[in-house]
Amino acid sequence: MMLKALRRRAWIVVVCLVAGLAAGVAAAALLPRTYASTTQVYVSLAPTATAADVFGSSSFVEQRAQTYAELVQGESFERTVQTTTGAAEKPELTAQIKDDTVLLAVTAQADSPELAQAEANAAGQLIIQRAAALEGRTDATATLLLQVVEPANLPETAGFPTPPVLVVMGAVVGLAVGVAAAVLVARMNSTLRRPGDLLDLSSFEHTTWLQRHGKSQDDAHALVSMYRQLVSSTRADGQTLMVSACTPADADTATELASEMAGTLVEAGLTVAVVELSRLPESPRPGLSDLIDGAPVAVVAVPRRDTVRMLHAGTHPLRVSTATGAEIERSLAALLREVDAVIVLGPPVVAGRPFPAVAYARAADAVLLVGTQRRSTTREVEAAYASASGWQAREVEVVVAGPRLRARGTHATAQREAVTTAP
């Protein structure tokens, strides 16, 4: 589902990606580039060292080398290097002892390759001079000997971050921001407002967008086509359709849709029974529970060919919820012997009250879940479809219907034409 939402909002990802690339290119063009050059100085005992100097020479040399590494980063040392090179600003110098060696690596960073090389060489020569002054004796001998073993190199490329790295970093950040923004927009604006919003549903292939424009013939044709396609998708003689709202907020839409579908079939000359189980009647009268207990169809639904026959829960509403699958199938079969089509209007999928949805769904030829345009959300429709998919129904479809708009014209004639022309 989230991948579909991202594909629909790919423009957000593309915009953020382009913005990230632009920021990376701008950073690469505007940020100053830094070049680093390194010279290596070898620290060892001088040939004039005495026997006392040689004793413990390894640790002695290492300690001295560490001392000179710290000396490189002193302010006076940096100012001397600046004076030597004639640079406008103090150099950025670092020094460190390479592991398990007595090599002192002195690195200078500058905004040009030549200046970085000059400052590194100057620092290397200065540290040798400072060591000679500090380690010298009265007899003109020295304990340590420092010598450059690798002159400073001329850097060819700038240090991190390089322009290509900045561009890649901008693209990665832009892509991440774009994906996050697309996901946030999808979650914040998940209401089904237009047909394209159905693409966010994982049940997209089983979902229909029903826009009722108020044109009688078009509306009737759509309803009859939907009924015939659903009930005949599993068997040619299908006649029973179960209709349920996705949520309680969609209950009125489901009731209207079931009533319009039944009315369209009746106007075409068919007999239709609507079993209303989504709500309990205010005044109990014979209905489905009585039919389950053996009452004749004539008692619960008076046979008339010019109107929809409505059946409620009956005088024993609890019986509707406790009936077995066999009893429900037997009752619907008895009802179908008297009418041409049966529409069972069940309670909302997430109604929360006990209802054997599985038994009624298995007894019907198909299940139609109803959502409401500009009210239902993708999460609600997904949850309802996931629940209904576990009812073991032969076919489960979703319709997201819009508000019914009144239109002028002969509705009955349009309904008859729709029934005769619908596939």
Side-chain angles (χ1 to χ4, degrees):
M1 174 180 173
M2 195 53 62
L3 290 178
K4 291 183 178 180
L6 288 177
R7 282 198 295 268
R8 286 195 58 229
R9 296 165 179 85
W11 65 271
I12 298 178
V13 180
V14 172
V15 169
C16 292
L17 177 60
V18 172
L21 281 172
V25 172
L30 299 177
L31 290 180
R33 300 182 183 180
T34 302
Y35 298 86
S37 180
T38 301
T39 183
Q40 294 191 42
V41 178
Y42 179 70
V43 182
S44 63
L45 286 174
T48 57
T50 64
D53 295 329
V54 175
F55 181 76
S57 61
S58 177
S59 60
F60 174 77
V61 172
E62 291 178 359
Q63 292 173 0
R64 283 293 195 273
Q66 185 63 42
T67 301
Y68 292 129
E70 297 294 332
L71 184 63
V72 169
Q73 302 177 58
E75 184 175 354
S76 62
F77 191 94
E78 292 177 346
R79 290 190 180 279
T80 303
V81 172
Q82 179 184 2
T83 302
T84 302
T85 59
E89 298 179 354
K90 288 194 305 181
E92 296 182 15
L93 301 175
T94 57
Q96 61 179 359
I97 306 299
K98 292 192 174 182
D99 295 339
D100 301 325
T101 70
V102 288
L103 289 175
L104 177 61
V106 181
T107 301
Q109 293 185 348
D111 55 5
S112 69
E114 294 78 9
L115 181 58
Q117 183 184 36
E119 289 179 344
N121 282 327
Q125 294 300 325
L126 182 59
I127 196 66
I128 293 176
Q129 296 173 12
R130 292 286 179 90
L134 293 174
E135 301 293 341
R137 297 177 178 176
T138 57
D139 58 357
T141 62
T143 305
L144 291 179
L145 176 63
L146 278 70
Q147 54 186 332
V148 176
V149 295
E150 184 178 334
N153 63 306
L154 181 64
E156 297 180 355
T157 59
F160 183 85
T162 61
V165 172
L166 288 173
V167 173
V168 172
M169 289 176 60
V172 171
V173 173
L175 180 62
V177 172
V179 172
V183 172
L184 182 62
V185 170
R187 291 184 175 180
M188 293 180 61
N189 190 21
S190 61
T191 304
L192 299 173
R193 291 184 171 86
R194 56 187 66 87
D197 294 336
L198 299 183
L199 295 174
D200 291 342
L201 299 171
S202 60
S203 58
F204 165 72
E205 297 179 352
H206 300 277
T207 306
T208 301
W209 183 270
L210 181 61
Q211 187 66 53
R212 294 183 282 181
H213 298 287
K215 300 177 181 179
S216 301
Q217 184 173 353
D218 293 344
D219 290 348
H221 189 284
L223 292 173
V224 174
S225 297
M226 184 180 302
Y227 171 81
R228 289 186 172 176
Q229 181 179 1
L230 286 170
V231 298
S232 62
S233 59
T234 55
R235 56 182 184 179
D237 59 343
Q239 296 171 295
T240 305
L241 176 65
M242 178 177 174
V243 179
S244 290
C246 291
T247 68
D250 304 315
D252 290 341
T253 305
T255 301
E256 288 181 3
L257 192 64
S259 177
E260 291 178 22
M261 186 178 292
T264 301
L265 296 175
V266 166
E267 292 291 345
L270 303 177
T271 55
V272 181
V274 176
V275 183
E276 169 65 270
L277 301 179
S278 60
R279 58 175 63 91
L280 298 178
E282 296 180 358
S283 56
R285 57 180 181 272
L288 182 61
S289 61
D290 303 279
L291 186 61
I292 293 175
D293 288 334
V297 175
V299 174
V300 299
V302 179
R304 296 174 56 188
R305 299 189 63 83
D306 58 348
T307 186
V308 177
R309 279 175 258 186
M310 296 294 299
L311 280 77
H312 291 278
T315 56
H316 303 90
L318 186 60
R319 187 74 175 90
V320 173
S321 300
T322 59
T324 64
E327 291 175 330
I328 294 172
E329 291 183 7
R330 184 174 61 251
S331 301
L332 294 180
L335 193 59
L336 282 172
R337 286 193 289 269
E338 302 293 333
V339 297
D340 300 314
V342 173
I343 299 177
V344 179
L345 184 58
V349 178
V350 293
R353 65 185 182 88
F355 181 74
V358 175
Y360 286 90
R362 294 186 64 180
D365 296 296
V367 174
L368 179 64
L369 305 179
V370 180
T372 307
Q373 296 174 14
R374 299 183 177 274
R375 181 186 299 165
S376 299
T377 64
T378 55
R379 183 174 302 179
E380 292 171 346
V381 174
E382 288 284 353
Y385 183 80
S387 298
S389 298
W391 291 353
Q392 303 177 19
R394 297 184 179 92
E395 183 75 15
V396 179
E397 294 289 328
V398 180
V399 59
V400 181
R404 182 174 58 181
L405 301 178
R406 301 290 182 181
R408 299 176 182 178
T410 56
H411 187 54
T413 303
Q415 288 172 327
R416 293 190 184 95
E417 292 178 357
V419 173
T420 57
T421 59

